[in-house]
Amino acid sequence: MNHVQRRLASTAAKLASVSPSTLSAFPPVESFKTKKDDFIKKDDFNPETWAAIQPVPSTALSAFAHRIGLASVLSSPDIVRQACTHPSFLPLYRQHYPQLAEPKTNAQFAALGNSLMGLFATEYLQAKYPYLPTRVLKAAVSAHVGPMTASSVAQEMGAQPLLRWHRTPKTPTTPAVLLPDALASIPRSLTAIIYQEQSLPHARDFVHAYFLNRQIDLRAMLKFVNPKKALLELVRKFGRESPKSRLLKETGRFSNSPVFVVGIFSGADQLGEGFGASLKMAEYRAAEDALLRVYLTRTPEDQIQLPSSTFNSRSGGIFAPDANEKEGNYKAPELAFSEIMYMSSGRSSIPSSGV
């Protein structure tokens, strides 16, 4: 066995998606070279490329469908194979098999699934955090269903060995295709397939189960340039008394490590509390804490209503629902106040975003 054949065997052993028993001839004829060929054509055969273009065994696709709990939806291995085939795989496939029919890719499924995941995440986060600023809401949606999260979920599902893709460099018209980008297309495609085969509520349940039940720290996404000024305007919007700072506790005032605890009050109600090595820092944190308490106000889970809950829960068109099924109940909530934002544009004379 020559060096190329040893590389081929070691590469195939590492890839769970390549089963030598499914191949008509293993090793392939291209891997055999004479000594004369070694001097004439070097690196003409690439074991990694050869392994990447091999079809994924149907047993691995069926096992994947059962592992993620979608065996009833992904009953055909072909639909799973299509969901795991990225469009970047086609040029590589054409290069080696120009005479054969091209495999189906998940391009359309991924585009539809991406829109559905954005819809489900936006309506859920808007209903759960009604006072969340718009820009922070967009960042929270990206954190829940964005490309990096979708890629991580695909790895947790065990979809990476089933992925068929090809690394593509950046061009003036298209971005580069990397492994996280290709992996992210698999959960998106699965969402679109569930929507196509079942219904929109079933696709929403899938996204909630794999994406929206994750804990994301939204506090880190809220940054204030001047929390005291923002809190003052916020209190005025509610028609309350202007906020006032009060020193609650202190220790070590005349030492090298003092600690001050400051509370911000509106009348008799305490809005926030903060600590720091100086009174100014404690007051800053107290105002920031008061703003976070408002912006991160959460609706109880049993009171959350989603607009998509009015859709038909059975398979069929949205505009032609089942006559025997009633439309879901939904009561639109009142619109929350617009967020108070200051001085993020870099021009002090124009008030803008402060979070």
Side-chain angles (χ1 to χ4, degrees), residues 308-325:
S308 61
S309 62
T310 60
F311 293 156
N312 190 3
S313 61
R314 301 181 184 179
S315 60
I318 296 177
F319 298 103
D322 192 341
N324 298 325
E325 184 172 0

Side-chain angles (χ1 to χ4, degrees), residues 40-74:
I40 297 176
K41 298 179 180 179
K42 293 184 178 180
D43 297 331
D44 188 31
F45 178 79
N46 191 326
E48 288 80 7
T49 302
W50 174 87
I53 61 178
Q54 299 308 308
V56 181
S58 299
T59 53
L61 299 174
S62 299
F64 171 73
H66 283 79
R67 183 167 59 250
I68 62 177
L70 297 177
S72 59
V73 181
L74 307 175

Side-chain angles (χ1 to χ4, degrees), residues 131-299:
Y131 300 104
L132 202 63
T134 304
R135 290 195 304 162
V136 181
L137 176 64
K138 293 180 179 179
V141 171
S142 298
H144 278 88
V145 297
M148 298 306 298
T149 304
S151 174
S152 177
V153 170
Q155 290 180 336
E156 295 173 4
M157 290 178 173
Q160 183 169 350
L162 310 179
L163 176 65
R164 306 175 79 189
W165 75 292
H166 183 61
R167 187 185 300 273
T168 304
K170 181 180 179 181
T171 65
T173 57
T174 59
V177 177
L178 304 177
L179 179 59
D181 303 322
L183 278 174
S185 66
I186 296 180
R188 294 169 179 170
S189 301
L190 295 177
T191 303
I193 292 173
I194 297 173
Y195 169 71
Q196 175 181 278
E197 300 295 330
Q198 297 291 326
S199 65
L200 189 139
H202 286 85
R204 185 185 64 216
D205 293 341
F206 171 78
V207 175
H208 277 254
Y210 280 92
F211 291 91
L212 299 182
N213 62 349
R214 295 170 176 260
Q215 298 296 326
I216 303 295
D217 184 17
L218 299 182
R219 294 176 64 93
M221 301 181 185
L222 286 162
K223 299 296 182 182
F224 304 95
V225 175
N226 192 338
K228 292 176 60 178
K229 189 174 183 180
L231 180 61
L232 176 62
E233 295 295 331
L234 181 64
V235 170
R236 288 177 179 175
K237 268 189 172 292
F238 283 101
R240 304 288 298 274
E241 296 183 21
S242 298
K244 295 182 179 180
S245 302
R246 299 176 186 174
L247 180 62
L248 302 180
K249 298 178 182 178
E250 66 169 290
T251 181
R253 177 185 285 266
F254 300 104
S255 66
N256 59 354
S257 56
V259 177
F260 300 93
V261 179
V262 172
I264 288 189
F265 293 79
S266 175
D269 299 327
Q270 182 175 349
L271 305 180
E273 184 176 309
F275 69 95
S278 65
L279 290 172
K280 185 176 181 180
M281 177 56 68
E283 189 178 14
Y284 181 97
R285 289 177 175 172
E288 190 177 43
D289 178 61
L291 290 172
L292 291 175
R293 290 174 183 270
V294 176
Y295 288 132
L296 297 181
T297 299
R298 291 190 294 182
T299 304

Side-chain angles (χ1 to χ4, degrees), residues 300-340:
E301 291 291 337
D302 58 338
Q303 298 180 14
I304 293 179
Q305 285 190 313
L306 304 176
S308 61
S309 62
T310 60
F311 293 156
N312 190 3
S313 61
R314 301 181 184 179
S315 60
I318 296 177
F319 298 103
D322 192 341
N324 298 325
E325 184 172 0
K326 296 182 179 180
E327 188 179 84
N329 295 325
Y330 174 73
K331 181 180 179 181
E334 296 182 2
L335 293 178
F337 62 87
S338 59
E339 60 265 23
I340 306 299

